[in-house]
């Protein structure tokens, strides 16, 4: 499986000039947060639980500077393991102000193993990226990109999305941003769909903000995922729908610890 989002589990940034202006205040989470999800796949007209996802944020360091490390692990369960083993690991380092420093995605899916890596530096008002990609044949390729705008990977975009104020957004509003991987620099579009209640796998119903993430590659918009975040100060992702090449997958919030703010979006 290729989790192109979450990725993206999801998401959003405001375009701004780089070199100091790509920093963003964090209001939604603290180091020590750990969130668990159940994963489902649409298999032969049925939704089947295929594994789990763990999302963690902790204090770390990167090149001798203080940093946040974000990890997401997708892991197939024993039933799915016999048919399609999966271990996708995403790692991101950012400054405490959410400016991206490094990203890595290692994807072990069936008999396939690929790696995406991105290193960020900032100078002359630009974002500089050194990118590396390992294909399924084990061949590495390297490239470099430069942008006058802020550029983010799928994990850092998720962190930014959680810290944004959505109080003035209107249904149908579109935001375009840039996202990088080990292979390419692309433009993607986030559309706010409005509010909706969702019952998560912890047994609680949450008032959510709903977003659709589109890839405009080759000028053809394709929905990569749809995600639901709590309508409170945490903006915690409680549901993510993935549109994959071979079907649809869903991640449902199960439990979490170290959440920063009261869960006021929980419907009583």
């Amino acid at each position: 499986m290729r989790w192109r989002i979450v990725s993206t589990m999801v998401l959003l940034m405001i375009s701004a000039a780089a070199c100091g202006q790509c920093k963003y205040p964090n209001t939604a989470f603290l180091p020590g947060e750990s969130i668990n999800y159940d994963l489902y796949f649409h298999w032969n007209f049925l939704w089947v639980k295929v594994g789990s996802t763990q999302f963690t944020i902790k204090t770390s360091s990167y090149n001798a500077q203080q940093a946040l490390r974000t990890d997401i692990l997708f892991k197939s369960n024993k039933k799915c393991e016999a048919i399609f083993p999966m271990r996708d690991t995403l790692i991101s380092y950012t400054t405490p102000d959410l400016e991206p420093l490094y990203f890595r995605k290692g994807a072990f899916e069936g008999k396939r193993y690929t790696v995406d890596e991105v290193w960020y530096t900032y100078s002359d008002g630009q974002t500089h990226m050194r990118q590396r990609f390992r294909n399924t044949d084990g061949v590495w390729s390297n490239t470099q990109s430069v942008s006058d705008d802020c550029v983010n990977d799928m994990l850092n975009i998720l962190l930014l999305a959680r810290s944004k104020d959505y109080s003035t957004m209107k249904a149908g509003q579109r935001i375009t941003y840039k996202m990088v991987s080990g292979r390419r620099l692309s433009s993607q579009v986030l559309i706010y769909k409005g509010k909706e209640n969702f019952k998560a796998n912890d047994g609680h119903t949450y008032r959510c903000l709903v977003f659709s993430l589109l890839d405009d590659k080759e000028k053809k918009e394709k929905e990569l995922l749809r995600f639901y975040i709590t309508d409170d100060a945490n903006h915690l992702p409680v549901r993510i729908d993935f549109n994959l090449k071979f079907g649809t997958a869903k991640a449902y919030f199960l439990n979490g610890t170290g959440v920063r703010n009261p869960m006021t979006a929980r419907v009583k």
Side-chain angles (χ1 to χ4, degrees), residues 31-147:
E33 181 184 86
S34 181
I35 309 297
N36 296 299
Y37 299 84
D38 287 329
L39 279 179
Y40 298 85
F41 183 70
H42 198 219
W43 190 276
N44 291 333
F45 305 103
L46 296 174
W47 283 104
V48 180
K49 184 178 177 181
V50 296
S52 61
T53 299
Q54 184 178 40
F55 173 86
T56 59
I57 303 172
K58 59 185 178 183
T59 300
S60 187
S61 63
Y62 182 83
N63 287 343
Q65 64 176 307
Q66 185 179 1
L68 292 175
R69 172 170 169 161
T70 303
D71 291 76
I72 296 183
L73 171 64
F74 297 93
K75 182 180 179 181
S76 53
N77 57 27
K78 291 182 179 180
K79 291 182 179 179
C80 181
E81 220 31 51
I83 303 173
F84 195 91
M86 179 185 64
R87 297 287 190 280
D88 281 13
T89 304
L90 289 77
I91 302 171
S92 172
Y93 285 87
T94 69
T95 67
D97 295 319
L98 308 185
E99 188 173 53
L101 300 171
Y102 172 76
F103 169 76
R104 184 184 191 276
K105 176 186 176 184
F108 174 64
E109 301 161 344
K111 297 181 179 180
R112 297 164 47 92
Y113 179 65
T114 60
V115 177
D116 289 88
E117 285 186 288
V118 183
W119 292 262
Y120 301 86
T121 56
Y122 304 89
S123 63
D124 301 323
Q126 295 179 315
T127 303
H128 300 258
M129 293 147 287
R130 180 167 63 90
Q131 301 152 248
R132 189 167 76 147
F133 174 69
R134 180 192 188 276
N135 67 17
T136 54
D137 295 323
V139 178
W140 290 90
S141 58
N142 296 272
T143 186
Q144 296 187 23
S145 302
V146 178
S147 175

Side-chain angles (χ1 to χ4, degrees), residues 126-183:
Q126 295 179 315
T127 303
H128 300 258
M129 293 147 287
R130 180 167 63 90
Q131 301 152 248
R132 189 167 76 147
F133 174 69
R134 180 192 188 276
N135 67 17
T136 54
D137 295 323
V139 178
W140 290 90
S141 58
N142 296 272
T143 186
Q144 296 187 23
S145 302
V146 178
S147 175
D148 293 328
D149 299 316
C150 294
V151 180
N152 292 270
D153 51 74
M154 62 180 67
L155 279 188
N156 192 61
I157 289 173
L158 176 58
L159 301 182
L160 291 171
R162 293 185 58 185
S163 292
K164 182 173 173 55
D165 179 8
Y166 297 101
S167 60
T168 61
M169 290 195 72
K170 306 294 183 182
Q173 185 172 339
R174 300 164 63 96
I175 300 174
T176 301
Y177 63 91
K178 290 185 177 180
M179 190 175 80
V180 67
S181 68
R183 287 169 288 182

Side-chain angles (χ1 to χ4, degrees), residues 8 26-27 61 114 118 131 145 152 180 198 214 238 253 260:
T8 149
N26 168 27
T27 60
S61 63
T114 60
V118 183
Q131 301 152 248
S145 302
N152 292 270
V180 67
F198 170 69
L214 308 178
V238 294
F253 173 73
R260 177 174 182 171

Side-chain angles (χ1 to χ4, degrees), residues 168-231:
T168 61
M169 290 195 72
K170 306 294 183 182
Q173 185 172 339
R174 300 164 63 96
I175 300 174
T176 301
Y177 63 91
K178 290 185 177 180
M179 190 175 80
V180 67
S181 68
R183 287 169 288 182
R184 67 187 183 105
L185 178 65
S186 62
S187 294
Q188 299 196 352
V189 178
L190 192 72
I191 303 178
Y192 174 52
K193 309 294 287 188
K195 296 184 180 183
E196 184 177 331
N197 287 354
F198 170 69
K199 186 174 182 180
N201 279 17
D202 66 345
H204 296 287
T205 298
Y206 296 90
R207 184 178 66 257
C208 298
L209 306 172
V210 184
F211 294 87
S212 176
L213 183 67
L214 308 178
D215 189 346
D216 65 354
K217 183 180 179 181
E218 299 178 353
K219 307 301 180 181
K220 295 180 180 180
E221 291 186 343
K222 176 183 178 181
E223 184 175 68
L224 299 178
L225 59 95
R226 183 166 297 204
F227 63 95
Y228 299 61
I229 61 174
T230 56
D231 186 17

